[in-house]
Amino acid sequence: MNVDPDLLRSRLGDRRARTAMVLGSGLGGLVDVLDEPVRIAYGDLPGFPQSGVSGHSGELVWGLLNGVPVIVLSGRIHYYEAGDAAAMRPALEALKAVGVEILVLTNAAGSLKPELAPGSVMLIDDHINFSGRNPLIGEPSDARFTGMTEAYDAALRRHMREAAAAEGLTLSGGVYMWFSGPSFETPAEIRMARLLGADAVGMSTVPETILARFLGLRVVAASVLTNYGAGMTGAELSHQETKDMAPKGGAVLARILAAAVPRF
Ligand code: HPA
């Protein structure tokens, strides 16, 4: 079911935004730093995908981030919730229909690099989709042959790095590898991911990036690393750990994003 763009437009009134953001698990705190927020529950936007994952709320919030109008999607639906890689398509199409041009994707992820400790933030330079799934499967138009050479926009990534530097923070880049979840990876899968060149693993973002590029949106994305990949420390992984650790890196990411959006 598609979202009616007129309904979203009428709920937003004359508020518009060039930039939209999708918040990952436990990163909802970004909404609290928006000025003049207007909150719309996904339930009031028929067709908007509702996530059943704890740590994800379900609302669209318009507001000013460091003086810049943005639309924040607090809560996303994941492939693993219903086996639909295109689950976020109606939401992204609705954003595009109300004038969004830039999509900022955030997520919680497992770190594959010893120097990227839990609580740190990684800018996504590129991704690996080794899942065999793609949200454009079944799309009939030739636009399905979407180029992914610069999936993560080079200029937006530069703005993120410069914004971080201006905040006195270093922001290293890396490769994010998508696993379907919802079970975490095995230690053997994590060793494979490292061999293939991944720096972080997670259960979201990649299908959204593909959809966004298909729709002609520019994408920039960042991971908050909540744990080391399975087998790297011997500790068992849990969603509770993700929710507990995400706010720490989330606060750093919120600072970087606030400094970055005026540069976009
Ligand atoms: N793997 C996949 N997704 C995740 C992880 C992980 O280790 N941590 C947070 N999200």
Side-chain angles (χ1 to χ4, degrees), residues 108-111 179 184-185 190 201-203 226-230 237 242:
S111 170
F179 282 82
F184 286 105
E185 300 74 30
I190 292 296
V201 289
M203 306 179 192
T226 54
N227 55 279
Y228 285 117
L237 274 47
T242 303

Side-chain angles (χ1 to χ4, degrees), residues 25 80 107-112 176-177 179 181-185 190 200-204 224-230 237-239 241-243:
S25 289
Y80 61 73
N107 59 56
S111 170
L112 307 190
Y176 175 95
M177 184 164 178
F179 282 82
S183 57
F184 286 105
E185 300 74 30
I190 292 296
V201 289
M203 306 179 192
S204 68
V224 166
L225 303 161
T226 54
N227 55 279
Y228 285 117
L237 274 47
S238 73
H239 186 52
E241 181 182 38
T242 303
K243 289 190 288 184

